[in-house]
């Protein structure tokens, strides 16, 4: 159980954005709402309502969140989706759909259906007892009906058409089912990539059928540089045994997946009439930080802020662990998830490279 607990929190798929006062707001982009799907990178607390170990509703999570409240977000502060809705002038935070305080009216400006520990492979969510992508899609369908009761079918359709749909999934699948718990290792790496992308394609098609037009899909990060992967690799017999270095083979494989993902997005964009489907690169922005940390104001790259920074995440990152004094000097908050400072940087990159493609 401890191994599974450790493994889940590898879901760093990282998609992020930061404030630039001149560039974007809700009126200039005509984005009416944000709906997020996927794993813990976008989960603001849906797992709080689930009987799962994969939660972040305890200290020191939320250490730098408004009010220093641990909400279930896997970070010391805000997620990228929180930063983005604020940047666009939509609202201050993107709430969890399963938060009992979320009203029908709140749905009109967006919510997150993402669930920490989830993935494109149904087996990933099943093993971790969290929301699968199918579950998330069903909740979105449920939310559509709630929205229609508030504003009517025509207006709900308009809101969805102008909304931004964000998807971050795939990292947990690789970690749980291929690298660290190789339950899918009987499939070739390329074959498993294809399997995941087929699931993603089906998911995007279903969203499109329900009215989604603006869809941003996040690629894989440099998985081999996640502190937890660095730690595991350092304990295995190899030339780099007992050394904290990135697992280059896993990084190459993340790049391979991302190339296939970009090809899929290009094909879907040409077949889904009126869609604005975009790829969100987190691999290269993060790798650039890893290779030149001082240029971005970071001191710590391969170890996280919580505890030893090598393995602690989720329930293992708790009030009994010391935390670093200045999280903004760390790339990651726990052994997989970014600090708020990293989320802000990635949001800035998203705003500069991706958001202009979504403007009407």
């Amino acid at each position: 159980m401890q191994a599974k607990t450790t493994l889940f929190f590898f879901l760093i798929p990282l998609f992020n954005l930061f404030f630039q006062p001149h560039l974007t707001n809700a009126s200039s982009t005509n984005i009416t709402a944000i709906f997020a799907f996927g794993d813990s990178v976008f989960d603001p607390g849906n797992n709080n309502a689930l009987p799962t170990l994969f939660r972040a509703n305890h200290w020191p999570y939320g250490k730098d969140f408004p009010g220093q409240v641990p909400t279930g977000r896997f970070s010391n502060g805000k997620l990228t989706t929180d930063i983005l809705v604020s940047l666009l002038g939509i609202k201050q935070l993107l709430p969890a759909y399963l938060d009992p305080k979320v009203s029908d009216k709140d749905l009109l400006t967006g919510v997150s259906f993402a669930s920490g520990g989830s993935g494109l492979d149904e087996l990933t969510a099943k093993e971790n007892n969290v929301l699968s992508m199918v579950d998330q899609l069903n909740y979105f369908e449920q939310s559509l009906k709630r929205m229609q009761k508030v504003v009517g079918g025509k207006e709900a359709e308009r809101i969805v058409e102008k909304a931004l749909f964000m998807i971050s999934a795939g990292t947990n699948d690789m970690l749980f089912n291929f690298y660290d718990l190789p339950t899918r290792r009987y499939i070739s790496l390329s074959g498993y990539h294809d399997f995941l992308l087929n699931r993603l394609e089906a998911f995007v098609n279903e969203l499109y059928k329900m009215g989604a037009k603006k869809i941003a899909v996040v690629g894989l990060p440099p998985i081999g540089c996640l502190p937890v992967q660095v730690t595991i690799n350092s304990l295995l017999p190899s030339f780099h045994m007992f050394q904290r270095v990135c697992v280059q083979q896993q990084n190459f494989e993340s790049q391979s997946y991302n190339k296939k993902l970009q090809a899929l997005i290009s094909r879907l964009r040409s077949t889904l009439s009126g869609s604005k489907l975009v790829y969100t690169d987190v691999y290269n922005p993060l790798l650039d930080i890893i290779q030149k940390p001082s240029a971005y104001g970071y001191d710590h790259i391969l170890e996280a802020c919580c505890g030893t920074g090598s393995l602690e995440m989720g329930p293992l990152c708790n009030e009994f662990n010391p935390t670093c004094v200045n999280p903004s000097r760390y790339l990651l908050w726990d052994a997989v998830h970014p600090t708020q400072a990293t989320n802000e940087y990635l949001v800035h990159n998203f705003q500069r490279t991706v958001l202009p493609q979504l403007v009407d």
Side-chain angles (χ1 to χ4, degrees):
M1 180 60 73
Q2 184 173 355
K4 288 185 65 179
T5 300
T6 299
L7 280 181
F8 147 58
F9 300 98
F10 300 170
L11 46 107
I12 190 177
L14 292 143
F15 160 86
N16 315 132
L17 325 85
F18 175 55
F19 178 74
Q20 275 187 354
H22 64 282
L23 221 177
T24 314
N25 56 43
S27 59
S28 65
T29 60
N30 204 22
I31 293 175
T32 57
I34 291 179
F35 295 99
F37 302 83
D39 53 36
S40 62
V41 172
F42 290 162
D43 182 1
N46 281 308
N47 279 14
N48 297 350
L50 304 177
T52 178
L53 291 175
F54 305 139
R55 299 183 183 182
N57 58 344
H58 56 272
W59 190 259
Y61 288 100
K63 178 181 179 181
D64 299 301
F65 192 79
Q68 296 186 315
V69 179
T71 60
R73 290 168 169 83
F74 291 88
S75 180
N76 61 306
K78 296 179 181 179
L79 303 180
T80 55
T81 44
D82 298 316
I83 300 167
L84 183 57
V85 288
S86 178
L87 169 69
L88 294 175
I90 297 173
K91 52 188 174 185
Q92 289 302 305
L93 301 168
L94 191 71
Y97 180 69
L98 296 183
D99 185 336
K101 293 182 291 186
V102 169
S103 67
D104 291 352
K105 186 177 179 181
D106 291 328
L107 300 178
L108 304 179
T109 49
V111 291
S112 174
F113 302 92
S115 180
S118 191
L120 296 166
D121 189 339
E122 290 285 313
L123 180 60
T124 306
K126 183 177 181 181
E127 288 177 336
N128 299 327
N129 206 26
V130 298
L131 299 180
S132 69
M133 297 299 283
V134 172
D135 293 331
Q136 295 176 38
L137 202 60
N138 290 338
Y139 276 130
F140 175 63
E141 187 174 22
Q142 182 184 97
S143 74
L144 278 178
K145 295 176 181 177
R146 293 174 61 183
M147 291 166 63
Q148 289 166 358
K149 290 181 180 179
V150 177
V151 296
K154 201 73 175 177
E155 177 62 9
E157 181 180 339
R158 186 195 71 82
I159 291 172
V160 169
E161 183 176 334
K162 298 298 182 181
L164 171 58
F165 289 77
M166 299 166 60
I167 304 170
S168 175
T171 303
N172 286 334
D173 298 311
M174 294 306 301
L175 293 166
F176 281 122
N177 299 324
F178 208 85
Y179 293 143
D180 302 316
L181 293 177
T183 53
R184 296 290 197 188
R185 190 68 69 79
Y186 60 89
I187 306 174
S188 69
L189 174 75
S190 180
Y192 192 54
H193 283 175
D194 293 340
F195 171 78
L196 296 178
L197 291 169
N198 286 337
R199 300 304 299 268
L200 175 63
E201 180 176 4
F203 186 86
V204 169
N205 280 322
E206 286 302 311
L207 278 182
Y208 180 79
K209 289 177 184 177
M210 287 190 272
K213 292 293 192 293
K214 300 178 180 182
I215 305 173
V217 184
V218 183
L220 294 182
I223 290 177
C225 292
L226 299 180
V228 67
Q229 294 303 95
V230 169
T231 299
I232 291 173
N233 186 63
S234 71
L235 300 176
L236 299 176
S238 74
F239 181 74
H240 296 295
M241 191 172 185
F242 304 128
Q243 299 178 31
R244 294 194 62 78
V245 296
C246 294
V247 188
Q248 294 301 338
Q249 184 60 37
Q250 293 180 7
N251 285 352
F252 294 149
E253 290 165 358
S254 294
Q255 288 179 298
S256 176
Y257 175 90
N258 289 340
K259 288 178 181 177
K260 287 187 175 184
L261 172 58
Q262 291 174 73
L264 171 62
I265 288 174
S266 180
R267 178 167 59 81
L268 285 173
R269 191 188 300 122
S270 65
T271 58
L272 300 179
S273 177
S275 68
K276 291 187 176 182
L277 188 62
V278 295
Y279 169 73
T280 301
D281 178 21
V282 295
Y283 182 96
N284 287 301
L286 288 173
L287 189 64
D288 200 46
I289 295 177
I290 291 166
Q291 293 174 340
K292 299 178 293 186
S294 61
Y296 293 90
Y298 289 98
D299 297 322
H300 303 273
I301 297 301
L302 299 185
E303 63 277 339
C305 179
C306 185
T308 65
S310 58
L311 285 172
E312 294 89 345
M313 45 203 150
L316 301 180
C317 174
N318 55 54
E319 61 183 322
F320 301 107
N321 295 128
T323 57
C324 65
V325 175
N326 188 357
S328 67
R329 306 293 292 184
Y330 284 70
L331 182 68
L332 300 180
W333 166 248
D334 63 19
V336 157
H337 302 96
T339 58
Q340 178 174 282
T342 302
N343 284 339
E344 289 172 344
Y345 163 73
L346 290 173
V347 168
H348 165 75
N349 188 71
F350 177 83
Q351 180 187 13
R352 180 176 58 84
T353 62
V354 178
L355 206 54
Q357 302 176 56
L358 299 167
V359 177
D360 289 336

